Amino acid sequence: MEPSPSSPHGSGRAEPSAGPDAARPAPASQAPPAGPARRVRRVSFDRRTLAVGAAVLLIAAALLAGTGYRYEAYSEQPLAVSSEVPSEAPPLRQFTARLRGRQRTLSARLDALAPKGVYIVIDQTQNRLYLKRRDATLLEAVCSAGSGMVLRESGGKKREWVFDSPRGRFEVRSMLKNPVWRKPDWAFVEESLPIPTNPADRLDYGTLGEYALYFGDGFMIHGTLYERLLGRAVSHGCIRVGRDDLRKVWASARIGTQIFIY
C-alpha cells in the first residue's frame, strides 16, 4: 500500500487541482479586499518530531537537576592507630604475645575444618577444576560448567529447565566406568524430538566419556565428546572435563571425596 500524498508544507490544506475554472476571475462582489495579502503559515509536527522534542526536554531536565552526587577533592588521612595497642614496651610485648596465641588457635581451627586427603575444587567463573591435597594443587584442569541457559517446553506441560551447576559442598557418591546416560525429558525437548515411552530409547552410550563421578541430584563430573569447548560455560549443569585430566581425577578420587563448587 502506497502512502497517501501529504499537503505541501506551509499551506495546511490540499491545493486545488487545475481545471476549466482555474483561470476564471472571481466576481467583483467576491473580490478580496485591497491591500497587501498575508499568508498564514501553519506548522505541522509528526510523531518523530514530537518524540525527539520530548527526549531533548528530558535530557535538559536531567542536566538541570544534576546527578545527586557531590564531588570533592580527595585528601588522604593519616592511618589511625588503635587505642588498644599499648605504647609502652612491656605491655606491647604482652599484647603481641596474646595476638600470636590467638593466631595459633584460629589456625588450628582452620586446619581441623580443612578436608582430609584429596578433594576437588571447581571454579565456575574461570571454568577450572583443581585436584588438591591440603594446600598443594595436584592438578589444574580446564572444565565446562553450566551455561545458565533456560529451556522452555512449547507444548505439553509447559515445563522449564535452567542449566546451572550447583554451588556448595558435595561429595562423590558413586564412581562409574564407561557410564551410560539415561537421557531426561529435557534432552528430547531441546532437540525437538518426541519423548520416548520405551526406557531403552533413553539410553545414550559414550556421551559421558570413560568415567563419571556422581555427586547427587543428577549432577556428575564426566568426560565429553566436545573437548574443543572446554573452558566455556556450555554444559547442562554437569562438570565436563577432558579425557586425560578426567583419568587423573578418577585415579585420585574415592567414594566420599569432597567437592567444593563456587
Side-chain angles (χ1 to χ4, degrees):
M1 178 177 178
E2 293 294 332
S4 56
S6 59
S7 303
H9 290 289
S11 65
R13 56 181 178 173
E15 293 290 332
S17 57
D21 298 332
R24 184 168 32 181
S29 61
Q30 298 179 3
R38 292 190 305 169
R39 297 182 61 187
V40 178
R41 193 169 190 181
R42 298 179 184 176
V43 181
S44 60
F45 297 97
D46 57 10
R47 291 183 179 179
R48 179 178 297 179
T49 305
L50 292 175
V52 172
V56 171
L57 290 176
L58 288 175
I59 293 173
L63 292 174
L64 291 175
T67 62
Y69 292 99
R70 210 171 79 186
Y71 298 94
E72 297 179 355
Y74 171 75
S75 58
E76 186 174 356
Q77 300 296 327
L79 294 177
V81 180
S82 175
S83 59
E84 298 179 358
V85 179
S87 57
E88 301 294 332
L92 181 60
R93 286 194 294 268
Q94 295 176 3
F95 181 79
T96 304
R98 287 198 302 269
L99 288 181
R100 289 175 177 170
R102 187 179 178 185
Q103 181 185 15
R104 288 192 294 269
T105 301
L106 293 176
S107 297
R109 290 181 181 178
L110 288 175
D111 290 341
L113 295 174
K116 304 298 187 293
V118 173
Y119 60 99
I120 299 169
V121 177
I122 296 168
D123 180 351
Q124 293 193 57
T125 303
Q126 302 298 328
N127 283 293
R128 292 293 186 273
L129 179 147
Y130 301 93
L131 186 66
K132 300 178 73 71
R133 180 185 289 114
R134 292 289 183 175
D135 294 334
T137 300
L138 308 179
L139 172 69
E140 178 180 346
V142 180
C143 66
S144 286
S147 65
M149 299 293 289
V150 178
L151 174 65
R152 295 182 177 89
E153 191 175 21
S154 58
K157 301 178 181 178
K158 305 288 186 180
R159 292 171 292 179
E160 182 178 285
W161 296 270
V162 181
F163 298 133
D164 274 335
S165 296
R167 298 174 186 269
R169 176 187 174 279
F170 308 90
E171 62 181 34
V172 176
R173 297 187 180 182
S174 61
M175 301 176 64
L176 309 173
K177 187 175 183 179
N178 296 321
V180 177
W181 183 33
R182 184 182 180 276
K183 298 174 69 173
D185 288 354
W186 60 256
F188 298 94
V189 173
E190 186 178 45
E191 298 178 5
S192 300
L193 297 175
I195 298 175
T197 56
N198 184 1
D201 294 335
R202 292 179 177 267
L203 303 182
D204 190 301
Y205 299 86
T207 300
L208 303 182
E210 297 177 340
Y211 305 107
L213 288 76
Y214 175 76
F215 57 91
D217 295 330
F219 295 104
M220 294 176 280
I221 300 173
H222 62 74
T224 177
L225 299 175
Y226 309 101
E227 294 197 8
R228 68 183 183 278
L229 298 179
L230 291 173
R232 306 179 189 176
V234 294
S235 84
H236 297 92
C238 289
I239 306 299
R240 301 179 185 177
V241 186
R243 183 189 64 179
D244 296 337
D245 291 328
L246 182 60
R247 289 175 177 176
K248 296 175 183 177
V249 174
W250 173 269
S252 300
R254 300 289 183 270
I255 302 295
T257 295
Q258 295 187 62
I259 303 173
F260 300 89
I261 305 178
Y262 66 93

